Amino acid sequence: MTRFVLTKILHAVITFVLSGIVIFFGVRLLPGDPALAMAGEEATPERLDAIRADLGLDQPLLVQFLKFLGSIVTGDLGDSTRTGLPVTSMIATTLPVTLWLALYAIVVAVVVGIALGMLAERYRGKWPEIGSNFIALLGLSVPNFWLGLLAILALAVSLGWFPASGYVDVLSDPIRGIYYLTLPAVILGTSLAAVITRQTRASMIETMGTDYVRMARAKGLSRPRVLFRYGLRNSLIVLVTIVGLQLGGLISGAVVTERIFALPGIGKLTLDAVFSRDYPVIQAVVLVITASYILINLAVDILYSVINPQIRVSEDAS
């Protein structure tokens, strides 16, 4: 087990280092001049040169890259060229909003997806399965941004059930915070719920047709008990894979949802930084999202070995 975990951690570190290289040079390939974005179109060449010198953009790329690596190690990601505030504090302010939104969307997707998937397996060939498949198809086909606009128009503007925009800190006021995040979380989790529904249904059908499930039924165990004890438990690996990979995707994919519902999360910070060519913020945001992907994948790999020890044994043997 120790060797398995250490190997996965080493792979994660290597991936993070390579990602940092790609992020640094990729940001510098973006069109536009951050100095010109800060100073304005009427800035003099002397003013532009002074801004570039202040930001360190006049130094060779290798020197800039070494400073970038040093900032990662020390945790000092510099100051925003747009606001002048420390990038670390800006991310610390906006990231919790996105994390709460992503976690809420995961909960909604898992609950709805597993319920619809089990319902489809239980009533194969009947109208509940047809309804579950139809809902899953809609979730996969309808873009989130369009669904979000329709939800605002119908549920917020016309019916007034939910707020159309705004955010309340979940920790300071949990009830209102959850209330404000409900509609964005449902919209963000729609496509993931559809995927979980389809995968749960397929996995449950395969599991319920195995010999040991038939044996359990022959011994007199009720179908609901077999369904939860054997069917759902043996479907966990597939569900862990989907949820683990999609959590990182939800964090990065929340950009559009946050924009639609005017949430002050990492998505809004990213778009503002891209429009203003704010190099330090762009680098830091992409780095944080990349790190979240890597950490989540690492956690999923370790969780695999807990759910199914065969995976750990095969990795150690190789």
Side-chain angles (χ1 to χ4, degrees), residues 238-257:
V238 177
L239 295 179
V240 167
T241 304
I242 297 172
V243 172
L245 296 178
Q246 290 296 322
L247 180 56
L250 288 179
I251 294 175
S252 59
V255 174
V256 176
T257 304

Side-chain angles (χ1 to χ4, degrees), residues 208 211-227 230:
M208 296 301 288
D211 292 336
Y212 65 86
V213 170
R214 293 194 187 98
M215 180 64 69
R217 291 284 289 156
K219 289 182 178 181
L221 293 179
S222 63
R223 181 179 176 84
R225 185 176 180 182
V226 172
L227 193 67
Y230 297 103

Side-chain angles (χ1 to χ4, degrees), residues 1-16 291 293-306 308 310-316 318:
M1 180 66 177
T2 303
R3 179 183 175 185
F4 174 82
V5 173
L6 291 178
T7 302
K8 293 300 181 181
I9 293 176
L10 178 61
H11 292 169
V13 171
I14 295 174
T15 304
F16 182 74
Y293 264 103
I294 295 173
L295 290 176
I296 291 170
N297 287 335
L298 176 62
V300 169
D301 288 339
I302 295 176
L303 191 56
Y304 275 170
S305 64
V306 175
N308 187 358
Q310 292 180 350
I311 297 176
R312 181 176 70 246
V313 172
S314 62
E315 289 281 349
D316 289 339
S318 60

Side-chain angles (χ1 to χ4, degrees), residues 46-311:
E46 293 77 11
R47 173 59 179 163
L48 294 177
D49 291 338
I51 294 176
R52 293 189 185 99
D54 184 56
L55 298 177
L57 298 177
D58 59 337
Q59 299 175 348
L61 278 179
L62 180 59
V63 176
Q64 295 183 44
F65 178 67
L66 293 177
K67 289 185 176 180
F68 173 66
L69 292 180
S71 66
I72 296 177
V73 174
T74 59
D76 182 11
L77 301 177
D79 299 329
S80 168
T81 59
R82 179 173 59 91
T83 63
L85 297 174
V87 176
T88 305
S89 65
M90 295 174 67
I91 293 178
T93 302
T94 56
L95 184 59
V97 180
T98 304
L99 290 179
W100 281 118
L101 176 62
L103 290 175
Y104 196 177
I106 284 284
V107 172
V108 171
V110 169
V111 172
V112 173
I114 291 179
L116 291 179
M118 295 179 67
L119 188 68
E121 189 280 331
R122 177 66 179 85
Y123 297 97
R124 277 183 284 173
K126 300 180 180 179
W127 68 265
E129 182 190 20
I130 297 174
S132 298
N133 291 338
F134 179 72
I135 294 174
L137 181 62
L138 285 180
L140 292 172
S141 305
V142 180
N144 281 354
F145 71 88
W146 189 72
L147 189 62
L149 293 175
L150 289 181
I152 291 176
L153 181 62
L155 301 179
V157 177
S158 298
L159 298 176
W161 291 353
F162 298 97
S165 62
Y167 174 76
V168 175
D169 186 16
V170 177
L171 296 179
S172 61
D173 191 345
I175 302 299
R176 292 190 65 217
I178 293 175
Y179 173 64
Y180 271 79
L181 283 178
T182 296
L183 193 57
V186 170
I187 298 303
L188 184 60
T190 300
S191 59
L192 176 56
V195 174
I196 293 178
T197 298
R198 301 291 295 174
Q199 292 295 333
T200 301
R201 174 186 174 275
S203 181
M204 294 288 289
I205 290 176
E206 180 181 356
T207 302
M208 296 301 288
T210 56
D211 292 336
Y212 65 86
V213 170
R214 293 194 187 98
M215 180 64 69
R217 291 284 289 156
K219 289 182 178 181
L221 293 179
S222 63
R223 181 179 176 84
R225 185 176 180 182
V226 172
L227 193 67
F228 284 95
R229 183 174 179 179
Y230 297 103
L232 185 59
R233 182 176 181 180
N234 286 278
S235 305
L236 283 179
I237 290 184
V238 177
L239 295 179
V240 167
T241 304
I242 297 172
V243 172
L245 296 178
Q246 290 296 322
L247 180 56
L250 288 179
I251 294 175
S252 59
V255 174
V256 176
T257 304
E258 289 179 358
R259 196 69 174 181
I260 293 174
F261 291 93
L263 297 176
I266 203 79
K268 181 179 183 300
L269 180 64
T270 303
L271 291 178
D272 292 341
V274 170
F275 291 147
S276 62
R277 305 296 186 272
D278 197 340
Y279 279 1
V281 174
I282 297 174
Q283 288 178 166
V285 168
V286 177
L287 196 66
V288 168
I289 294 176
T290 302
S292 68
Y293 264 103
I294 295 173
L295 290 176
I296 291 170
N297 287 335
L298 176 62
V300 169
D301 288 339
I302 295 176
L303 191 56
Y304 275 170
S305 64
V306 175
I307 297 175
N308 187 358
Q310 292 180 350
I311 297 176

